Amino acid sequence: MTTPLRLGIAGLGTVGVGIVRIVQKHGDLLAIRAGRPVEIVAVSARSKTKDRGIDLSGYLWEDDPVTLAKRADIDVFIEVMGGHEGPAKDATEAAIATGKDVVSANKALLAIHGQALAEAAEAAGHVIRFEAAVAGGIPVVKSLTEGLAGNDITRVMGVMNGSCNYILTRMQDAGLSYAAVFDEANALGYLEADPELDVGGIDAGHKLALLAAIAFGTQVDFASVELEGIGAVSIDDIHQAADMGYRIKLLGVAQMTGRGLEQRMSPCLVPDTSPLGQLQGGTNMVVLEGDAVGQIVLRGPGAGEGPTASAIMGDVMDIARGTRLSTFGQPAKTLRKARAARAAVPAPYYLRLQLLDKPGALAKVAHALGEAGISIDRMRQYDHSDTTAPVLIVTHKTTRTALDEALADFKGTGVVTGTPVAIRIEAV
């Protein structure tokens, strides 16, 4: 086939510019690999006059991304604007309605509206591809939909936000507080304009919801993802976890249980010798487990111009070659609604408590745990002030429901001050 695949790009920020660079630099290579030329026809962004360091003179310009999406001379609409409402949603819907395939890096849009968009695209005979929306340059969507299609997936987990991983590893390596490293990361431009999207786990939660839909054949359900950010993690937690052979990561976990689909994005302890424990800086890692393959680990850059544009172009090349896949790995109308389960699988937990320095304080805490059916694996008491003592407890496996019961009972003991910290310990 020699007919060119014609692209329209909405959004010329870091990722959009990266796509243009790849097409301009590797045009001949793309044509050889796809069996047809791949060309950019038109682009759209907020400012036409901004200097982006690339030559855009050969492309038609549209001020309105919806108008771009409707153009009759493009085959694939590439959406790299971001946002789950407004222009991104309107333009994506317009592209589907006017006969375009869509390639998107927009995790928020797909995590919230993915089911409706997938049904609309598939009913019209078109595809939505979104490799770039999850873990940047790591081909995790392709791994689930293609390479592992013969597996019953049992668990998906990973570190999917490089900014949070940078903060946590920087705290450990430099011995700095969360507040100090947060300010450093913000100054370096590592955080979103609304930092809560990163440190609150929202960005990573969007990605987890998309992977869970593919892995378990369910409708994407971001609203059911349990979210807990890293703001409560202290340098003491970092050091004390290290003393016990663990590192703290913002970890996403999705698994189907007898009670329903468990999806959570929260700080967890992982063994420091595990692949996740060894993950440094802004790198992402996704662990996939299937009944036939066992466990595989995918590691790579989770963001940035080159990695994300690379993922976009991987999807574009599949379309150019004629590869047609359902958005979430199976027809959208066959995806079932999953019952949400809150941390149903038992696990050990790390607890940090501040106890009043009174006789019998530890006994009262142990009694509250015992009443909730929780047994203690390890316990340490650190240097204390004249009135309080920090105590670290690692429990045997328990449910989050039982743990919440114990945490509530701590308030009635009269010996626990402040708010206890509870962090799940994940087997890797």
Side-chain angles (χ1 to χ4, degrees), residues 246-261:
Y246 294 103
R247 292 200 175 209
I248 299 178
K249 300 292 180 183
L250 180 67
L251 190 66
V253 179
Q255 52 196 337
M256 187 64 72
T257 73
R259 298 182 181 179
L261 178 60

Side-chain angles (χ1 to χ4, degrees), residues 125-213:
H126 300 295
V127 298
I128 300 175
R129 305 296 297 266
F130 60 93
E131 186 68 72
V134 183
I138 301 174
V140 60
V141 173
K142 183 179 283 287
S143 295
L144 281 172
T145 56
E146 297 182 46
L148 301 181
N151 284 256
D152 179 17
I153 302 299
T154 54
R155 183 168 65 159
V156 174
M157 63 180 170
V159 171
M160 304 178 203
N161 184 278
S163 300
C164 287
N165 201 54
Y166 169 84
I167 289 172
L168 293 171
T169 55
R170 176 74 173 145
M171 288 172 67
Q172 177 146 13
D173 294 343
L176 297 173
S177 69
Y178 170 80
V181 180
F182 175 92
D183 290 342
E184 178 183 284
N186 208 21
L188 290 169
Y190 291 173
L191 299 176
E192 297 276 2
D194 177 5
E196 188 63 19
L197 292 173
D198 286 316
V199 299
I202 299 168
D203 167 86
H206 288 146
K207 300 170 186 176
L208 183 68
L210 294 173
L211 293 184

Side-chain angles (χ1 to χ4, degrees), residues 186-376:
N186 208 21
L188 290 169
Y190 291 173
L191 299 176
E192 297 276 2
D194 177 5
E196 188 63 19
L197 292 173
D198 286 316
V199 299
I202 299 168
D203 167 86
H206 288 146
K207 300 170 186 176
L208 183 68
L210 294 173
L211 293 184
I214 301 170
F216 305 109
T218 58
Q219 295 183 12
V220 61
D221 184 12
F222 171 68
S224 295
V225 179
E226 297 176 51
L227 293 176
E228 180 184 349
I230 63 172
V233 177
S234 73
I235 190 61
D236 289 337
D237 295 320
I238 296 281
H239 289 325
Q240 290 161 9
D243 286 346
M244 297 184 297
Y246 294 103
R247 292 200 175 209
I248 299 178
K249 300 292 180 183
L250 180 67
L251 190 66
V253 179
Q255 52 196 337
M256 187 64 72
T257 73
R259 298 182 181 179
L261 178 60
E262 179 180 328
Q263 302 178 92
R264 50 186 166 78
M265 183 63 63
S266 62
C268 291
L269 271 65
V270 297
D272 59 11
T273 57
S274 68
L276 284 167
Q278 292 292 304
L279 192 66
Q280 297 291 308
T283 308
N284 281 199
M285 181 176 287
V286 182
V287 179
L288 305 174
E289 296 176 354
D291 64 339
V293 75
Q295 183 183 92
I296 66 170
V297 178
L298 304 171
R299 176 185 181 276
E305 176 183 312
T308 310
S310 169
I312 288 281
M313 289 308 300
D315 284 341
V316 168
M317 291 295 282
D318 275 350
I319 293 172
R321 292 166 175 151
T323 301
R324 316 293 291 178
L325 293 176
S326 301
T327 307
F328 294 105
Q330 66 184 65
K333 287 190 175 180
T334 70
L335 298 171
R336 67 190 190 281
K337 290 185 178 180
R339 185 172 68 236
R342 184 171 183 266
V345 177
Y349 280 83
Y350 159 101
L351 302 177
R352 176 169 56 83
L353 312 171
Q354 198 73 17
L355 302 187
L356 293 175
D357 192 12
K358 291 182 176 181
L362 282 174
K364 290 183 178 181
V365 167
H367 179 75
L369 289 169
E371 287 294 299
I374 301 171
S375 60
I376 296 173

Side-chain angles (χ1 to χ4, degrees), residues 83-141:
H84 67 277
E85 300 291 349
K89 181 172 180 285
D90 295 342
T92 300
E93 291 174 337
I96 294 168
T98 54
K100 314 295 191 301
D101 293 325
V102 174
V103 176
S104 178
N106 193 334
K107 51 196 168 287
L109 175 68
L110 292 167
I112 295 171
H113 302 293
Q115 181 66 28
L117 291 172
E119 289 188 15
E122 291 171 23
H126 300 295
V127 298
I128 300 175
R129 305 296 297 266
F130 60 93
E131 186 68 72
V134 183
I138 301 174
V140 60
V141 173

